[in-house]
Amino acid sequence: MDLFSKAAELGIQTGFHDGQGHWHTTDAAALKIILDAMPVRAPHRFLDGTVVVRAGRAERSYLTEATSLPLKWEILDGANVIAEGETGDRSILWPLDLPVGVWRLRLTDASLFSEEAPVIVAPAKAFRGEFDRSWILAAQLYGLRSERNWGIGDFTDLNRLLELAASLGAEGVGLNPLHVLFDDRPTDCSPYSPNSRLFLNPLYIDVEKIAEFSADMIAGDAETLARLRQAPVVDYSAVAELKWRALRSTFAAFKSRPDAKRSQAFAKFRAEHGVTLSRFACFEVLRHRFNCAWWDWPAEWQQPDDAKMAELHSGPDASEIEFVKFVQWCADQQLQASRDHGHALGLKVGLYLDVAVGVQSGGFDAWNEQIAVSRHLSIGAPPDALQPAGQNWGLAGFNGGGLEVQSFAPFKDMLRASMRYAGAIRLDHVLGLNRLYVVPHGYAADNGAYVKMPLQALLAVTAQESVANRCVVIGEDLGTVPDGFREELRDWGIWSYMVMMFERDDRGAFRGIDHYAHDALVTFNTHDLPTFAGWRSYADLVMKRGLGIDPGESDDARSYALSMLGDALRQQGISNEGLYAVAQFLARTRTRLLAIALEDLLGVIDQPNIPGTIDEHPNWRQRLPVAIDDIVAAIDLSALRTAVADRSAQAA
């Protein structure tokens, strides 16, 4: 079988039309790398793949012509039979009362040939939420400024932000991803390029809130703290040095002065997170020991072997392993406390957390899930009008075959880690549930291919975790979306993500309020787009041109966009054209959730991130110009409350 036939069999599209309508065929050498990165799995004889059953619905699966009838089937939970039956035709009508879960399906035909496949029984829809037409504050947690933090926003600042949101009539706070990064590379600070999506970034810990902290641990750091608190951007290197040193001191105190209640809580955390936490702690110790990519480690450590992990736990690295777990426990405790604080304030959303689309190939998730994560491939996007060379995001993503082999456990674990303290999450690049554009390492971004993903199975698992965690799921569905995809998401109860800057017709006119979907989050912009003040002042265009980047928009085009915005507002009887006028426009849409960025409320000019830049722009470093406690005085409180009055009784 040639490469292209094999690719077709595995659901890999070997060519695509770019944004200009030009056809691209993937280079054969690049295609071979993509094929080699896919896990080996036996082809299914009776079914096409994973069976998805939505609870309470009459669902039917169809058998292939290779099936010798009659066929017996069993749905298994380990050795226990949940349901069984037999069919004499080429279909199986599944019972209506199957329990929700991911099970194994065993099929045996008349020739006594047997095979197994996952069967996912899911709620009919994801969790719908217990709020309607609400709004939230959106912020970058690292950028929060306060008189007490250590130069980076932390979980105590988050509690204060939740209080601010409640006082303004908002129902929660939206944040950047909180995934753990790499502690020894603090300047690699993009929250969208994580080490792991299963654990938290320790730099968000308020070290002073840890029970074992004492002021003498930072007695000589007063000058450094003062400088970090006043800095306009986060000095990640200095913050990391200070926090990690203090965390080690608190751990030493925890060990030297044990407290029974604290020790029991730590033991409970370790038990709850089990093997995954142990592996993560070992991975971090090994990463520091070998100081190279995990695939270059000694062979015995290149795979997560639990027997080898047990050796590490009982060896000279035992204390360092326990320290990694202790730090994650502290972070988990503080984020949970923030969740609980939001509940106590009566916030219906609480925390709205972002989930990155992939992970760094050298990180824990890629090492721990080598079947389900393709480390040789980077997720990206094919060439389009804005990015004619295509995009390579430098992130490894899941592959469908590997997920199926593992009954989708890695995907489920990732969702659960993000949802456990959130009232809502946003899945970045939700199009990746349908297909992922992947680029082999070393190849240009226009030499990739689309790999088909098991959409129905991934949506079913998403619905399971959404309902189990009572967490609304919002899919970032921007860009070129395949026909019927948004409708499929809607059918599963996954909300849309609508950005006003993109909601314009062929004439460039902003669409009216009736255009916006009900089950959606609406916002004016995103972290990758200009702030409102930057957009109105053309500052983003000036900035990008100064960096040698084509902004993809002329000054005349921006002037036209501003005039179109004025027209859209006036059609709603809104005469002002400032931020609060836009907020009022968006508040009138039927969308169930509106996000207003703190940067916009404070008139910040520069955007959090400029895609395509690294050191040229302070991406993911900028701090808010005022402290949290001064925000109310810095904004037009009356105008804000008027704008969102229809969205919250508390705002009146």
mmCIF file of all heavy atoms in Angstrom, residues 459-480:
data_model
loop_
_atom_site.group_PDB
_atom_site.id
_atom_site.type_symbol
_atom_site.label_atom_id
_atom_site.label_comp_id
_atom_site.label_asym_id
_atom_site.label_seq_id
_atom_site.Cartn_x
_atom_site.Cartn_y
_atom_site.Cartn_z
ATOM 1 N N LEU A 459 -16.886 14.473 21.654
ATOM 2 C CA LEU A 459 -18.020 15.248 22.157
ATOM 3 C C LEU A 459 -18.749 14.487 23.264
ATOM 4 O O LEU A 459 -19.215 15.081 24.246
ATOM 5 C CB LEU A 459 -18.982 15.579 21.018
ATOM 6 C CG LEU A 459 -18.481 16.604 19.997
ATOM 7 C CD1 LEU A 459 -19.465 16.731 18.839
ATOM 8 C CD2 LEU A 459 -18.266 17.968 20.652
ATOM 9 N N ALA A 460 -18.824 13.166 23.111
ATOM 10 C CA ALA A 460 -19.487 12.352 24.135
ATOM 11 C C ALA A 460 -18.725 12.411 25.456
ATOM 12 O O ALA A 460 -19.325 12.574 26.530
ATOM 13 C CB ALA A 460 -19.607 10.911 23.651
ATOM 14 N N VAL A 461 -17.397 12.289 25.403
ATOM 15 C CA VAL A 461 -16.595 12.376 26.619
ATOM 16 C C VAL A 461 -16.703 13.776 27.226
ATOM 17 O O VAL A 461 -16.782 13.936 28.454
ATOM 18 C CB VAL A 461 -15.125 12.014 26.320
ATOM 19 C CG1 VAL A 461 -14.243 12.295 27.525
ATOM 20 C CG2 VAL A 461 -15.012 10.550 25.922
ATOM 21 N N THR A 462 -16.708 14.795 26.369
ATOM 22 C CA THR A 462 -16.862 16.171 26.852
ATOM 23 C C THR A 462 -18.184 16.347 27.586
ATOM 24 O O THR A 462 -18.238 16.961 28.665
ATOM 25 C CB THR A 462 -16.769 17.167 25.683
ATOM 26 O OG1 THR A 462 -15.512 17.012 25.025
ATOM 27 C CG2 THR A 462 -16.908 18.600 26.168
ATOM 28 N N ALA A 463 -19.252 15.790 27.022
ATOM 29 C CA ALA A 463 -20.563 15.882 27.683
ATOM 30 C C ALA A 463 -20.547 15.151 29.022
ATOM 31 O O ALA A 463 -21.117 15.637 30.013
ATOM 32 C CB ALA A 463 -21.647 15.314 26.771
ATOM 33 N N GLN A 464 -19.899 13.986 29.070
ATOM 34 C CA GLN A 464 -19.793 13.247 30.331
ATOM 35 C C GLN A 464 -19.158 14.094 31.431
ATOM 36 O O GLN A 464 -19.702 14.236 32.530
ATOM 37 C CB GLN A 464 -18.933 11.998 30.130
ATOM 38 C CG GLN A 464 -19.601 10.835 29.458
ATOM 39 C CD GLN A 464 -18.668 9.634 29.407
ATOM 40 O OE1 GLN A 464 -17.474 9.745 29.661
ATOM 41 N NE2 GLN A 464 -19.214 8.478 29.079
ATOM 42 N N GLU A 465 -17.986 14.643 31.124
ATOM 43 C CA GLU A 465 -17.257 15.405 32.133
ATOM 44 C C GLU A 465 -17.957 16.717 32.464
ATOM 45 O O GLU A 465 -17.914 17.189 33.604
ATOM 46 C CB GLU A 465 -15.824 15.659 31.667
ATOM 47 C CG GLU A 465 -14.968 14.409 31.664
ATOM 48 C CD GLU A 465 -14.913 13.740 33.029
ATOM 49 O OE1 GLU A 465 -14.697 14.448 34.040
ATOM 50 O OE2 GLU A 465 -15.100 12.511 33.097
ATOM 51 N N SER A 466 -18.586 17.323 31.472
ATOM 52 C CA SER A 466 -19.314 18.574 31.699
ATOM 53 C C SER A 466 -20.437 18.367 32.711
ATOM 54 O O SER A 466 -20.590 19.143 33.664
ATOM 55 C CB SER A 466 -19.876 19.081 30.366
ATOM 56 O OG SER A 466 -20.773 20.146 30.557
ATOM 57 N N VAL A 467 -21.215 17.310 32.522
ATOM 58 C CA VAL A 467 -22.321 17.030 33.439
ATOM 59 C C VAL A 467 -21.792 16.605 34.801
ATOM 60 O O VAL A 467 -22.275 17.061 35.846
ATOM 61 C CB VAL A 467 -23.250 15.956 32.834
ATOM 62 C CG1 VAL A 467 -24.270 15.479 33.868
ATOM 63 C CG2 VAL A 467 -23.960 16.502 31.603
ATOM 64 N N ALA A 468 -20.773 15.748 34.811
ATOM 65 C CA ALA A 468 -20.222 15.260 36.083
ATOM 66 C C ALA A 468 -19.664 16.395 36.929
ATOM 67 O O ALA A 468 -19.776 16.380 38.161
ATOM 68 C CB ALA A 468 -19.137 14.225 35.815
ATOM 69 N N ASN A 469 -19.068 17.398 36.277
ATOM 70 C CA ASN A 469 -18.461 18.522 36.989
ATOM 71 C C ASN A 469 -19.336 19.762 37.024
ATOM 72 O O ASN A 469 -18.921 20.788 37.567
ATOM 73 C CB ASN A 469 -17.111 18.867 36.348
ATOM 74 C CG ASN A 469 -16.069 17.808 36.558
ATOM 75 O OD1 ASN A 469 -15.448 17.744 37.613
ATOM 76 N ND2 ASN A 469 -15.868 16.950 35.565
ATOM 77 N N ARG A 470 -20.546 19.668 36.433
ATOM 78 C CA ARG A 470 -21.470 20.804 36.361
ATOM 79 C C ARG A 470 -20.739 22.031 35.803
ATOM 80 O O ARG A 470 -20.732 23.109 36.397
ATOM 81 C CB ARG A 470 -22.079 21.101 37.738
ATOM 82 C CG ARG A 470 -22.872 19.935 38.297
ATOM 83 C CD ARG A 470 -23.492 20.238 39.648
ATOM 84 N NE ARG A 470 -24.449 21.344 39.592
ATOM 85 C CZ ARG A 470 -25.698 21.242 39.148
ATOM 86 N NH1 ARG A 470 -26.156 20.090 38.699
ATOM 87 N NH2 ARG A 470 -26.493 22.296 39.133
ATOM 88 N N CYS A 471 -20.152 21.833 34.644
ATOM 89 C CA CYS A 471 -19.304 22.847 34.028
ATOM 90 C C CYS A 471 -19.743 23.089 32.584
ATOM 91 O O CYS A 471 -19.768 22.157 31.767
ATOM 92 C CB CYS A 471 -17.844 22.388 34.069
ATOM 93 S SG CYS A 471 -16.678 23.534 33.332
ATOM 94 N N VAL A 472 -20.086 24.319 32.268
ATOM 95 C CA VAL A 472 -20.445 24.699 30.900
ATOM 96 C C VAL A 472 -19.197 24.634 30.021
ATOM 97 O O VAL A 472 -18.097 24.990 30.451
ATOM 98 C CB VAL A 472 -21.044 26.124 30.878
ATOM 99 C CG1 VAL A 472 -21.208 26.638 29.456
ATOM 100 C CG2 VAL A 472 -22.379 26.141 31.616
ATOM 101 N N VAL A 473 -19.367 24.177 28.776
ATOM 102 C CA VAL A 473 -18.253 24.097 27.834
ATOM 103 C C VAL A 473 -18.506 25.056 26.677
ATOM 104 O O VAL A 473 -19.556 25.011 26.029
ATOM 105 C CB VAL A 473 -18.065 22.672 27.296
ATOM 106 C CG1 VAL A 473 -16.897 22.617 26.311
ATOM 107 C CG2 VAL A 473 -17.844 21.695 28.440
ATOM 108 N N ILE A 474 -17.527 25.927 26.436
ATOM 109 C CA ILE A 474 -17.582 26.887 25.334
ATOM 110 C C ILE A 474 -16.475 26.527 24.359
ATOM 111 O O ILE A 474 -15.316 26.363 24.753
ATOM 112 C CB ILE A 474 -17.404 28.324 25.857
ATOM 113 C CG1 ILE A 474 -18.552 28.674 26.815
ATOM 114 C CG2 ILE A 474 -17.338 29.332 24.714
ATOM 115 C CD1 ILE A 474 -18.264 29.847 27.722
ATOM 116 N N GLY A 475 -16.811 26.372 23.096
ATOM 117 C CA GLY A 475 -15.831 25.999 22.090
ATOM 118 C C GLY A 475 -15.367 27.214 21.305
ATOM 119 O O GLY A 475 -16.187 27.929 20.723
ATOM 120 N N GLU A 476 -14.050 27.449 21.292
ATOM 121 C CA GLU A 476 -13.504 28.568 20.492
ATOM 122 C C GLU A 476 -13.554 28.132 19.035
ATOM 123 O O GLU A 476 -12.704 27.391 18.551
ATOM 124 C CB GLU A 476 -12.076 28.870 20.959
ATOM 125 C CG GLU A 476 -11.468 30.099 20.295
ATOM 126 C CD GLU A 476 -10.675 29.753 19.059
ATOM 127 O OE1 GLU A 476 -9.546 29.254 19.205
ATOM 128 O OE2 GLU A 476 -11.199 29.981 17.935
ATOM 129 N N ASP A 477 -14.602 28.587 18.344
ATOM 130 C CA ASP A 477 -14.902 28.134 16.987
ATOM 131 C C ASP A 477 -14.685 29.236 15.955
ATOM 132 O O ASP A 477 -15.461 29.383 15.009
ATOM 133 C CB ASP A 477 -16.338 27.606 16.912
ATOM 134 C CG ASP A 477 -17.363 28.606 17.463
ATOM 135 O OD1 ASP A 477 -16.955 29.646 18.030
ATOM 136 O OD2 ASP A 477 -18.577 28.350 17.347
ATOM 137 N N LEU A 478 -13.609 29.999 16.130
ATOM 138 C CA LEU A 478 -13.302 31.083 15.204
ATOM 139 C C LEU A 478 -12.618 30.524 13.954
ATOM 140 O O LEU A 478 -12.071 29.433 13.962
ATOM 141 C CB LEU A 478 -12.398 32.120 15.875
ATOM 142 C CG LEU A 478 -12.912 32.701 17.193
ATOM 143 C CD1 LEU A 478 -11.879 33.637 17.804
ATOM 144 C CD2 LEU A 478 -14.237 33.425 16.975
ATOM 145 N N GLY A 479 -12.634 31.316 12.889
ATOM 146 C CA GLY A 479 -11.950 30.908 11.665
ATOM 147 C C GLY A 479 -12.884 30.187 10.713
ATOM 148 O O GLY A 479 -14.110 30.284 10.795
ATOM 149 N N THR A 480 -12.290 29.449 9.760
ATOM 150 C CA THR A 480 -13.055 28.713 8.762
ATOM 151 C C THR A 480 -13.594 27.440 9.392
ATOM 152 O O THR A 480 -12.834 26.548 9.782
ATOM 153 C CB THR A 480 -12.169 28.362 7.553
ATOM 154 O OG1 THR A 480 -11.606 29.564 7.022
ATOM 155 C CG2 THR A 480 -12.976 27.657 6.478
#
